[in-house]
Amino acid sequence: MATFLLVHGAWHSGRSWDRVVPLLESAGHRVYAPSLTGYGDKAHLLGPEVGLGTHVDDVVGLIEDERLEGVVLVGHSYAGMVISGVADRVPGRIAHLVFLDAMVPEDGEAAVDVLPVTEQLIAAAVDGWRVPPMPEQPAPLGLFGVTDPGDVAWLRSMLSDQPVRCLREAVRMDDPAGLAIARTHVHCVGVPQVGITRRAVPVGERVRELPTGHDCMITMPGELAGLLLEAA
């Protein structure tokens, strides 16, 4: 039995994994899919003081409180920043990192460094600190790559604003043990992303692709679960 810890991306909540969790559990694994501070059941905690460090603390706290070991830590999109910080803090608890169509930072980088287009979103921040979710666009882009009307409505129901501090706060990754953890990169390649360039994946790190949009946990949960099980 493996332990999966699924970390949602910016604007989303833990509910975004609802179609993946039962598939991993039915394969005999333990699964956690928490909402980070400011999202889902913690949406009332959203504020300008919430940053990347807050979200790293959320995940580290869960790992320590639940005494988790051998964790397959999955980060979607912005959460690539989060799981990188978690791996630096508690490397001995992590067995595998999965970057799911995610930001892949280096030590000392913030989200705006990894994905410079993020600066355009910050420029539209409300009250100077909260970035609204990106609007739905015509197919095939949709809402985070989701185009089915029912799925779009469900996704929209879980979205919250993203604090600017999450995007400007740098990640710490200077523990060699954290940097040595095995990695898998899952790229969603079904929808072209204008202005977004993926960084080259280092030799020796596994790469998988899904022919769908960014929110593959909603559009291709079965196929995603299959890829995650490879890391178990």
Side-chain angles (χ1 to χ4, degrees), residues 6-21 32-44 46 55 58 74-79 100 133 144 153-162 215 217-218:
L6 313 177
V7 187
H8 64 82
W11 300 293
H12 292 56
S13 79
R15 291 171 55 208
S16 62
W17 303 102
D18 280 1
R19 296 176 179 176
V20 176
V21 170
Y32 295 83
S35 289
L36 300 173
T37 296
Y39 307 93
D41 59 339
K42 302 181 182 70
H44 62 287
L46 186 72
H55 294 155
D58 287 341
V74 182
H76 177 238
S77 195
Y78 153 77
L100 179 56
F144 297 103
W154 177 59
L155 172 57
R156 196 184 304 281
S157 73
M158 72 180 74
L159 299 180
S160 300
D161 291 350
Q162 178 84 347
D215 276 8
M217 71 287 294
I218 295 175

Side-chain angles (χ1 to χ4, degrees), residues 139-157:
L141 297 177
L143 184 63
F144 297 103
V146 178
T147 57
D148 177 84
D151 288 346
V152 168
W154 177 59
L155 172 57
R156 196 184 304 281
S157 73

Side-chain angles (χ1 to χ4, degrees), residues 205-225:
E205 296 185 7
R206 183 165 53 190
V207 179
R208 296 291 185 265
E209 293 184 348
L210 286 174
T212 189
H214 187 55
D215 276 8
C216 57
M217 71 287 294
I218 295 175
T219 58
M220 297 189 75
E223 293 84 350
L224 173 58

Side-chain angles (χ1 to χ4, degrees), residues 84-142:
S84 296
V86 173
D88 187 81
R89 291 267 298 277
V90 288
R93 305 289 189 97
I94 312 300
H96 204 107
L97 294 172
V98 179
F99 291 84
L100 179 56
D101 219 33
M103 298 182 182
V104 185
E106 296 181 359
D107 182 38
E109 288 189 319
V112 292
D113 301 311
V114 180
L115 199 62
V117 72
T118 304
E119 288 284 7
Q120 298 177 21
L121 303 177
I122 292 176
V126 178
D127 299 327
W129 69 268
R130 53 195 301 161
V131 180
M134 289 182 287
E136 183 180 357
Q137 301 179 63
L141 297 177

Side-chain angles (χ1 to χ4, degrees), residues 131-204:
V131 180
M134 289 182 287
E136 183 180 357
Q137 301 179 63
L141 297 177
L143 184 63
F144 297 103
V146 178
T147 57
D148 177 84
D151 288 346
V152 168
W154 177 59
L155 172 57
R156 196 184 304 281
S157 73
M158 72 180 74
L159 299 180
S160 300
D161 291 350
Q162 178 84 347
V164 168
R165 187 170 181 177
C166 294
L167 306 175
R168 291 204 181 280
E169 192 170 352
V171 67
R172 177 178 176 179
M173 300 169 55
D174 58 3
D175 188 328
L179 298 173
I181 297 171
R183 295 182 172 200
T184 292
H185 303 262
V186 178
H187 295 162
C188 297
V189 297
V191 178
Q193 297 295 318
V194 179
I196 296 177
T197 303
R198 300 186 196 277
R199 290 183 166 179
V201 175
V203 175

